């Protein structure tokens, strides 16, 4: 299972084709658009008979009875830590800077009014995703946050959504949930943006409906890249590989190391730790997508990692901060042997909704800025207009936009 792989071969194995799901997703979107709630109920039949799409306040409260009090307390504490970190990201509502006499420029930041979050519910409950999606939205100042999750929604997910303060919760999963939030149905009003992880059908639906609702970024199976040298602890490396592998059979892990002896040590640790793993079957499938690459030096390791552009990047080297400053492509970076990716998944405060499949080359992980939009603000007095008037008129006339030039010239004669 644990094998040497070339970077190109690993990348090729990581790719998943969205096109395989396009026909199904197109049909689902069409049904939701034409049938509304009726389509959501019919598509839910394979899971349960769905009478009410919206989750009531009574159902929210009842969910707490099914969740251990210690878990509830852990979710509350995680929520506070996530909120505290995301508060640091909040931009100023309005700022100005005098660029020169008579010219003041600035930026006004406005939160989106209504957003939708998708919380998966397939193989397990994902209360952490509920927190990660909702918290930055509230911190940004979003007024309405609705959520969809596959029916029947697990009590643990309901509790997390309630702790996160989600205003509306709907029982809808898969591509139909995305279509409902983007297009609207009798029960679900449309949103401006949809965030949250999901399977290939969810991802494709988000991408296909971007004209109706903006999205965070494309997302796929979980993945980790690890840069390690001879100082890395093979137990730590193996533990992080297994932690990502247990997410999904399609999860992918790659170790990039300068130490030719480390992979064998990691392989032995993987075998040892895997023996007692409760999700062993899933991990074994994911390990088929995983492996290691041996490179000559740290420069080559960093270059290889940037090509991979992993969702999670763990740095296990003697001088980690040097690597951190040089890495360009990663969804989230975990530095040193005590920085487990799982800490970021749950409670350290950073967000675990991250771009996968190499999309960290161009996208950032979910944060407060995802829920904001900005408008530039320009304030000029006569001196400011005179300072740039000739420049504006000259360029406008050169472009043949004479009314543009005149709009400045008129003001200069007042």
């Amino acid at each position: 299972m644990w094998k040497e792989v070339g970077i190109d071969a690993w990348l090729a194995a990581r790719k998943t084709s969205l096109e395989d799901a396009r026909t199904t997703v197109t049909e689902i979107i069409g049904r939701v658009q034409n049938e509304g709630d009726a389509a959501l109920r019919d598509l839910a039949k394979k899971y349960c008979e769905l009478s009410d799409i919206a989750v009531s306040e009574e159902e929210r409260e009842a969910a707490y009875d099914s969740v251990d009090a210690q878990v509830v307390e852990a979710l509350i504490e995680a929520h506070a830590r996530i909120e505290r970190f995301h508060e640091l990201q909040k931009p100023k509502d309005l700022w100005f800077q005098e660029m020169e006499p008579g010219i003041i420029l600035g930026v006004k930041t406005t939160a989106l009014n209504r957003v939708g979050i998708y919380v998966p519910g397939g193989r397990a409950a994902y209360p952490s995703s509920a927190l990660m999606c909702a918290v930055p939205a509230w911190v940004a100042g979003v007024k309405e946050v609705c959520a969809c999750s596959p029916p029947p929604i697990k009590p643990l997910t309901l509790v997390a959504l309630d702790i996160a303060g989600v205003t509306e919760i709907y029982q809808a999963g898969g591509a139909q949930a995305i279509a409902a939030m983007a297009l609207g149905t009798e029960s679900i009003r449309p949103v401006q943006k949809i965030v949250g992880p999901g399977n290939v059908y969810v991802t494709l639906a988000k991408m296909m409906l971007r004209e109706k609702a903006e999205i965070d970024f494309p997302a796929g199976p979980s993945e980790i890249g690890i840069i390690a040298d001879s100082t890395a602890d093979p137990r730590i490396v193996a533990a992080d590989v297994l932690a990502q592998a247990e997410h999904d059979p399609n999860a992918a892990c790659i170790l990039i190391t300068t130490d030719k002896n480390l992979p064998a040590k990691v392989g032995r640790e993987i075998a040892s730790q895997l023996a007692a793993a409760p999700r062993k079957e899933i991990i074994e499938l994911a390990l088929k997508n995983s492996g290691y690459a041996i490179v000559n030096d740290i420069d080559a390791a960093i270059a290889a990692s940037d090509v991979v552009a992993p969702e999670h990047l763990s740095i296990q080297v003697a001088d980690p901060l040097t690597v951190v400053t040089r890495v360009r492509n990663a969804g989230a970076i975990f530095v040193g042997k005590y920085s487990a990716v799982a800490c970021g998944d749950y409670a350290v405060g950073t967000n675990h909704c991250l771009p996968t499949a190499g999309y960290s080359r161009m996208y950032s992980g979910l944060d407060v800025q995802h829920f904001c939009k900005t408008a530039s603000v320009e304030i000029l007095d006569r001196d400011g207009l005179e300072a740039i008037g000739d420049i504006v008129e000259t360029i406008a006339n050169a472009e043949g936009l004479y009314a543009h030039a005149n709009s400045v010239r008129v003001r200069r004669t007042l």
Side-chain angles (χ1 to χ4, degrees), residues 227 256 297-307 322-323 326-328:
I227 296 177
I256 304 170
D297 51 35
I298 286 294
D299 290 345
I302 294 170
S305 178
D306 278 342
V307 170
T322 299
V323 178
R326 295 177 57 196
V327 164
R328 299 182 63 85

Side-chain angles (χ1 to χ4, degrees), residues 50-366:
L50 194 60
S51 55
D52 295 323
I53 293 171
V55 173
S56 67
E57 288 297 323
E58 292 75 18
E59 289 173 297
R60 287 197 196 210
E61 293 174 9
Y64 283 87
D65 296 332
S66 301
V67 179
D68 185 273
Q70 186 176 2
V71 176
V72 174
E73 184 61 32
L75 289 171
I76 292 171
E77 292 183 13
H79 176 273
R81 291 174 182 274
I82 296 165
E83 186 175 53
R84 187 161 64 243
F85 175 73
H86 285 79
E87 285 283 357
L88 299 174
Q89 303 171 0
K90 190 173 182 179
K92 293 181 180 179
D93 293 339
L94 180 66
W95 61 263
F96 291 111
Q97 175 69 46
E98 185 178 39
M99 308 303 293
E100 58 185 279
I103 299 179
I104 298 174
L105 304 180
V107 172
K108 174 179 170 56
T109 300
T110 306
L112 300 177
N113 186 63
R114 179 176 171 80
V115 302
I117 68 176
Y118 183 80
V119 182
R123 292 181 173 85
Y126 296 99
S128 55
S129 291
L131 300 181
M132 295 293 177
C133 291
V135 168
W138 289 129
V139 171
V142 174
K143 290 184 171 60
E144 298 176 0
V145 179
C146 78
C148 284
S149 192
I153 302 179
K154 296 174 175 61
L156 188 54
T157 299
L158 284 179
V159 167
L161 289 168
D162 189 66
I163 290 170
V166 171
T167 47
E168 307 153 37
I169 305 173
Y170 299 103
Q171 300 195 85
Q176 57 267 34
I178 305 305
M181 289 189 283
L183 303 172
T185 71
E186 296 92 332
S187 296
I188 306 174
R189 290 182 292 114
V191 301
Q192 293 168 281
K193 187 165 189 171
I194 300 170
V195 304
N199 62 20
V200 64
Y201 298 96
V202 169
T203 297
L204 183 56
K206 287 166 69 176
M207 295 174 73
M208 290 176 64
L209 289 163
R210 289 189 74 170
E211 289 187 2
K212 299 294 183 180
E214 183 55 284
I215 68 170
D216 41 9
F217 39 75
S222 189
E223 60 191 30
I224 186 173
I226 303 169
I227 296 177
D229 63 14
S230 60
T231 66
D233 187 328
R235 294 170 299 173
I236 296 295
V237 175
D240 279 350
V241 167
L242 295 178
Q244 290 306 304
E246 78 169 346
H247 269 289
D248 185 280
N250 294 314
C253 313
I254 185 165
L255 165 65
I256 304 170
T257 181
T258 57
D259 179 9
K260 64 181 181 181
N261 297 315
L262 180 62
K265 297 175 184 177
V266 171
R268 287 192 290 272
E269 282 293 334
I270 287 175
S272 175
Q273 296 179 32
L274 180 59
R279 292 166 68 86
K280 182 177 179 179
E281 292 182 2
I282 292 173
I283 293 172
E284 287 177 338
L285 291 171
L287 287 176
K288 294 180 180 179
N289 314 317
S290 306
Y292 60 88
I294 300 172
V295 295
N296 292 329
D297 51 35
I298 286 294
D299 290 345
I302 294 170
S305 178
D306 278 342
V307 170
V308 170
E311 175 190 17
H312 306 97
L313 174 62
S314 175
I315 299 176
Q316 304 293 326
V317 300
D319 186 10
L321 291 182
T322 299
V323 178
V324 172
T325 60
R326 295 177 57 196
V327 164
R328 299 182 63 85
N329 302 329
I333 303 171
F334 299 82
V335 184
K337 65 181 179 180
Y338 296 109
S339 301
V341 172
C343 293
D345 286 340
Y346 298 116
V348 76
T350 54
N351 207 292
H352 80 199
C353 294
L354 304 167
T356 64
Y359 282 109
S360 68
R361 290 193 304 273
M362 59 200 82
Y363 290 100
S364 302
L366 196 64

